[in-house]
Amino acid sequence: MDFHRTRKYDKDFIRSNMMGPNSMMILEELVDDVPLKSGMRILDLGCGNGLTSIFLAKEYGVQVFALDLWVSATDNYKRFQETGVENMVIPIHADALDMPFSSDYFDAVISVDAYHYVGNNDTFFTEKIRPVLKKNGIIAFAFPGMKCEVKENVPNEMKPYWEDEALEMWHSIEWWRPKFESELDHLNIWEMECFHQAWDDWLDTDNPYAVGDRKMIHTDNDRYMNLIGITGIKNS
């Protein structure tokens, strides 16, 4: 992909608001074949500093509910005002485990670099995501993963960089697929092409967390880690 949509945005603005690999770039690939339409009501689950919410509002003309636990609604609202989407994006400070939404409310639930924190189990999708989606609602998730399961056999060279908590969340496509096969029609799950570009953008910042990630990515050297994309339609 050439990421022509992402390239329209100010690089310094993106860099200053990243919280991990370039979320706009990941989102552009994630929804490339997803039928988003103007006027849809979308939940951006774990929106961080709101980059993905801004992208969705500007590129697709949708109404976005930008939910995050770590970033205040006030801080995100200021960014939405700065980028001219304050009438299209509603900032919400809330826990994904206790979301304040009606059943059958959203046309789509989208999440970039956040779903794995809460969805790495057999209950979250069924109990928390499925109820708030309308009939035939869309899901589109992207998050860090592994090319194969390594939790029980962590390579020695990666042990200094992979904490046990992370290994509880980072899994392979084969591990994730059964979580969605019975829940979604038209399930598509893949290893994302943007891995290197999205990570390079993050590692090129002076964010202390990015600086700390540089050795991890260098040591991994494209052997174990990936980004996983998942899309599908809520089944009946």
Side-chain angles (χ1 to χ4, degrees):
M1 291 186 64
D2 64 2
F3 300 103
H4 64 281
R5 293 181 185 267
T6 301
R7 289 204 309 269
K8 293 189 296 186
Y9 294 86
D10 182 78
K11 290 182 179 179
D12 290 335
F13 177 77
I14 294 176
R15 286 166 59 91
S16 64
N17 287 292
M18 282 184 187
M19 297 178 69
N22 190 331
S23 59
M24 275 194 179
M25 183 177 290
I26 296 170
L27 179 59
E28 183 170 356
E29 178 180 341
L30 179 66
V31 300
D32 185 49
D33 291 323
V34 173
L36 300 180
K37 299 178 182 178
S38 177
M40 280 183 164
R41 184 186 294 145
I42 293 179
L43 172 61
D44 185 358
L45 181 69
C47 67
N49 285 329
L51 290 176
T52 47
S53 299
I54 293 164
F55 185 95
L56 288 167
K58 282 184 170 288
E59 299 301 316
Y60 295 98
V62 295
Q63 181 186 37
V64 185
F65 286 66
L67 183 145
D68 201 88
L69 179 62
W70 298 341
V71 180
S72 77
T74 299
D75 287 344
N76 270 339
Y77 183 56
K78 291 176 182 177
R79 272 182 287 274
F80 300 151
Q81 288 178 305
E82 180 183 348
T83 53
V85 297
E86 70 273 17
N87 293 324
M88 303 172 71
V89 184
I90 300 167
I92 301 169
H93 183 250
D95 191 333
L97 298 175
D98 188 25
M99 294 188 288
F101 302 120
S102 167
S103 298
D104 306 313
Y105 193 67
F106 292 106
D107 297 292
V109 176
I110 293 175
S111 181
V112 174
D113 200 10
Y115 184 84
H116 58 300
Y117 288 108
V118 289
N120 61 329
N121 52 66
D122 294 328
T123 60
F124 180 76
F125 186 89
T126 302
E127 295 179 0
K128 302 298 182 180
I129 300 298
R130 189 178 181 88
V132 302
L133 268 174
K134 295 180 182 178
K135 182 180 180 181
N136 298 319
I138 297 166
I139 69 97
F141 304 149
F143 43 76
M146 293 289 186
K147 295 183 178 183
C148 60
E149 289 299 305
V150 299
K151 182 181 176 182
E152 304 302 328
N153 189 25
V154 178
N156 288 331
E157 69 272 24
M158 300 308 301
K159 288 180 179 178
Y161 308 108
W162 293 346
E163 298 178 356
D164 289 342
E165 183 180 9
L167 292 174
E168 291 293 333
M169 298 181 287
W170 296 349
H171 293 286
S172 65
I173 287 175
E174 289 72 23
W175 188 92
W176 282 104
R177 190 187 303 277
K179 309 294 182 191
F180 298 99
E181 281 181 320
S182 64
E183 300 282 0
L184 301 173
D185 293 330
H186 308 293
L187 173 65
N188 185 23
I189 179 167
W190 74 101
E191 188 171 280
M192 302 187 77
E193 298 176 14
C194 64
F195 177 88
H196 295 292
Q197 290 166 279
W199 269 102
D200 286 348
D201 283 357
W202 166 241
L203 299 180
D204 194 44
T205 71
D206 58 3
N207 186 297
Y209 291 102
V211 174
D213 284 340
R214 290 173 187 168
K215 287 186 178 180
M216 177 183 69
I217 295 299
H218 176 75
T219 303
D220 177 88
N221 195 26
D222 203 28
R223 292 177 295 169
Y224 310 112
M225 301 176 65
N226 64 7
L227 288 170
I228 294 173
I230 300 175
T231 61
I233 306 295
K234 175 185 173 181
N235 59 21
S236 299

